[in-house]
Amino acid sequence: MRFLIKNFGSIFISLLLAVLIWVAAVREQNPPIENDYPQSIPIEVIAPPTGLVNTSPAPESVRLRLIAPQSSWANLTPTKIKATLDLSNVHQGVDDVPVQVVVSDPLVEIVDQQPRTASVNIEALRTISMPIEVEVLDSPPLGYTARTPAAEPAEVEITGPVSQVDQVARAVADIFIRNSKETVQATRDVVAKDQNDRTVRGVTISPPTVQLTIPIEQRFGYKDVSVRVNVEGQVAPGYRVSNISVEPPAITVVGNPKGLSQIAGLVETVPINLDQATESIVRTVPLNLPDGVTTVISEQEQNGPGGVQVTVEIAPIEDAVTLERPITQQGIDPDYWWRAAPDRAEVFLSGPLSQLQSLRASDVEVLVDLFDLKPGVHILQPTVFKPDGVRLDAILPDTIEITIGRTVQRPVSQTGLGPQYTWKASPNRVNVMLSADSSANSVNPAEIGVTVDLSELEPGFYQLKPVVTAPAGVVVDSITPDTVNVTINPKAVITATDRVSPVRTPTPRAK
């Protein structure tokens, strides 16, 4: 004990030096770093007491400058930092409330934060009841009147800060009639407005929407009637009337009771002549109205008896036809041959009867495009070329298998002909169609022979089928033509049987 008391100072100094050395070693290995935290921290706002509300905008986030050991920076995430704006103990009025930031890591120190405080304006909440005012933004069509609109519910509650609620003068819901001739019903939002008809913000309306009803009734002396188009005459042969329309299809007329009583729900137009028509007719046509009756539109425009726009659609009488057409091609390389499977297609066409009656099979072509295609098997969709005005309904089949191969032209040779004969082939060259594979593409044409066998044949005329020889691995698809005409003749022989006497030239006489 005496030893401890006597040497207390030395022991204390030794411990202090040891702690300082340890702190220095730790700071050397894990030095503190001061820096701005790269992310903004969202601020959680705790609401004010019941019956109060903050009318000032609160900051949404806070920026921080921190100092912390290097190891703490590496593990510091936004979830370890909490920012709070606590309004639970505030009172009415304007005040600056501190933004409280807490870091869960005790080694992290907040050097600075922005903002440090938030300015708030605390007001009392108020709720008032107010009747709905319905604003009709347009008028019913002429000849109709709108009765007093109604809202369901008839009142709404408006809640908000006293300063905002005191500005509310009306609760308004607006609606359009949009030329409706029947009762209008619609659900509309309710808007709070002040005395200057400006929208009041910052208040809550309950319920936010109401159901509006506006009764629409027809005035005395007005009547709604349908319009019927009156046509006469016949369109040109080969044509038909495909549709008749009128705009507007129904109109409102106004007049005296006697005139209105003569209209039994519809009015007709003056006759429209369709004689020999081949095109649609669009024109404004007057109406046949009793004396003392006019249309509402004409009354409004003060142009006398009104009319309607009539459209008579005239179209050719149509039919359908099916043609079987061969498959043709374009664009194939001159050194290639091609074959279509199937080689014909059924083409289903429709159009005006008169045009189909004069349609020739040669007017329709089914074509496949072989441009830039190499030997092989290809599945292609054909294109149908047809006269204008004729519609293509379908083609069967809609895809064609096209085989493309190499073509080699070779002379026709013979074997087995006796030496006493001569021969001639017509034609003396044929086209050899090689199969569509890679070996055919690389073969030398000189390696392919075309031969007719003339063994034991006597002089005469023969139609023979040549035999084609090719290198191993090369398959011959066909030849064109597949037969040649061969003529065999005996060789001409000259035999000397008579001596030929010399020809003497007479000596001219002297004069």
Side-chain angles (χ1 to χ4, degrees):
M1 189 66 180
R2 279 182 193 175
F3 176 79
L4 292 175
I5 295 174
K6 183 178 180 180
N7 297 287
F8 177 77
S10 299
I11 294 173
F12 176 76
I13 293 173
S14 298
L15 290 173
L16 179 61
L17 290 174
V19 171
L20 292 176
I21 293 172
W22 177 79
V23 170
V26 171
R27 291 175 66 90
E28 183 69 24
Q29 295 178 358
N30 190 19
I33 298 174
E34 180 178 336
N35 205 347
D36 292 329
Y37 190 67
Q39 301 182 41
S40 297
I41 305 302
I43 297 176
E44 177 186 353
V45 179
I46 300 176
T50 303
L52 299 179
V53 65
N54 176 32
T55 61
S56 297
E60 296 181 355
S61 61
V62 62
R63 302 286 299 181
L64 301 175
R65 185 170 184 82
L66 308 174
I67 183 170
Q70 185 175 359
S71 59
S72 295
W73 276 105
N75 299 318
L76 189 59
T77 61
T79 58
K80 294 184 178 181
I81 305 173
K82 183 176 182 181
T84 305
L85 182 64
D86 189 357
L87 305 182
S88 61
N89 296 318
V90 297
H91 303 283
Q92 291 189 41
V94 178
D95 195 4
D96 289 334
V97 179
V99 178
Q100 301 172 1
V101 180
V102 177
V103 184
S104 61
D105 188 343
L107 299 178
V108 178
E109 180 183 349
I110 300 174
V111 177
D112 188 25
Q113 69 178 61
Q114 293 296 331
R116 290 182 174 275
T117 61
S119 180
V120 297
N121 182 24
I122 306 300
E123 293 188 37
L125 284 175
R126 176 179 293 176
T127 299
I128 62 174
S129 295
M130 188 163 288
I132 299 294
E133 293 186 19
V134 181
E135 288 189 350
V136 182
L137 301 180
D138 58 354
S139 300
L142 196 59
Y144 289 81
T145 183
R147 300 302 181 187
T148 303
E152 177 60 38
E155 290 188 351
V156 292
E157 289 187 345
I158 301 175
T159 303
V162 173
S163 60
Q164 296 298 105
V165 173
D166 287 345
Q167 298 180 38
V168 178
R170 298 187 302 148
V172 179
D174 55 34
I175 189 172
F176 284 93
I177 296 177
R178 303 190 189 281
N179 287 322
S180 176
K181 297 179 179 180
E182 299 177 347
T183 296
V184 178
Q185 291 185 327
T187 301
R188 291 290 181 266
D189 293 332
V190 181
V191 179
K193 294 190 175 184
D194 61 15
Q195 292 182 348
N196 297 319
D197 208 34
R198 294 176 300 194
T199 301
V200 178
R201 309 292 180 182
V203 295
T204 302
I205 301 174
S206 180
T209 61
V210 292
Q211 179 75 20
L212 303 183
T213 301
I214 307 178
I216 306 296
E217 298 178 359
Q218 193 169 44
R219 294 179 178 176
F220 178 76
Y222 291 81
K223 187 175 185 178
D224 288 339
V225 292
S226 300
V227 178
R228 184 170 66 185
V229 179
N230 186 7
V231 296
E232 61 183 14
Q234 297 294 326
V235 298
Y239 291 85
R240 64 186 179 88
V241 176
S242 60
N243 187 44
I244 299 177
S245 60
V246 58
E247 182 60 36
I251 60 172
T252 302
V253 294
V254 59
N256 56 56
K258 180 180 179 181
L260 292 177
S261 65
Q262 300 178 37
I263 301 176
L266 61 85
V267 293
E268 289 189 344
T269 66
V270 299
I272 301 175
N273 189 1
L274 304 182
D275 277 344
Q276 301 302 310
T278 59
E279 295 180 349
S280 297
I281 299 172
V282 180
R283 65 179 61 160
T284 300
V285 183
L287 298 171
N288 275 329
L289 295 175
D291 292 338
V293 177
T294 185
T295 64
V296 167
I297 295 177
S298 63
E299 180 189 64
Q300 185 178 19
E301 297 177 351
Q302 299 180 355
N303 286 332
V308 292
Q309 180 170 288
V310 175
T311 301
V312 181
E313 297 180 15
I314 298 175
I317 298 174
E318 295 196 345
D319 200 356
V321 67
T322 302
L323 299 177
E324 188 177 73
R325 298 296 298 141
I327 308 298
T328 59
Q329 66 82 25
Q330 68 174 7
I332 193 170
D333 190 296
D335 293 333
Y336 296 155
W337 62 269
W338 74 286
R339 181 170 57 241
D343 60 354
R344 304 178 73 83
E346 285 187 299
V347 182
F348 298 84
L349 304 172
S350 61
L353 178 62
S354 59
Q355 192 171 5
L356 292 182
Q357 288 175 338
S358 61
L359 182 69
R360 297 172 300 179
S362 58
D363 294 335
V364 180
E365 184 179 7
V366 181
L367 184 135
V368 289
D369 187 2
L370 306 185
F371 179 76
D372 211 24
L373 293 183
K374 301 299 181 184
V377 178
H378 307 270
I379 304 298
L380 302 179
Q381 189 170 28
T383 301
V384 178
F385 291 90
K386 54 183 178 47
D388 291 340
V390 175
R391 293 189 304 275
L392 173 65
D393 295 329
I395 178 172
L396 291 179
D398 58 354
T399 57
I400 305 295
E401 181 183 275
I402 302 295
T403 302
I404 299 177
R406 184 182 175 192
T407 300
V408 177
Q409 191 178 75
R410 299 297 296 147
V412 179
S413 60
Q414 63 83 24
T415 183
L417 183 67
Q420 69 274 26
Y421 298 129
T422 62
W423 76 290
K424 181 175 67 174
S426 178
N428 62 358
R429 301 179 71 87
V430 296
N431 292 318
V432 180
M433 283 52 168
L434 304 181
S435 63
D437 55 28
S438 58
S439 60
N441 296 333
S442 58
V443 68
N444 187 345
E447 298 181 276
I448 298 175
V450 179
T451 308
V452 289
D453 186 4
L454 306 185
S455 302
E456 301 180 358
L457 294 183
E458 299 292 333
F461 178 82
Y462 302 92
Q463 192 175 56
L464 304 178
K465 187 171 183 177
V467 176
V468 180
T469 58
V474 176
V475 179
V476 176
D477 183 88
S478 59
I479 63 172
T480 303
D482 59 352
T483 60
V484 294
N485 298 321
V486 176
T487 304
I488 301 176
N489 293 311
K491 288 184 178 179
V493 179
I494 300 176
T495 304
T497 56
D498 298 326
R499 177 178 293 177
V500 180
S501 299
V503 178
R504 296 181 179 179
T505 303
T507 303
R509 295 179 182 180
K511 292 183 179 180

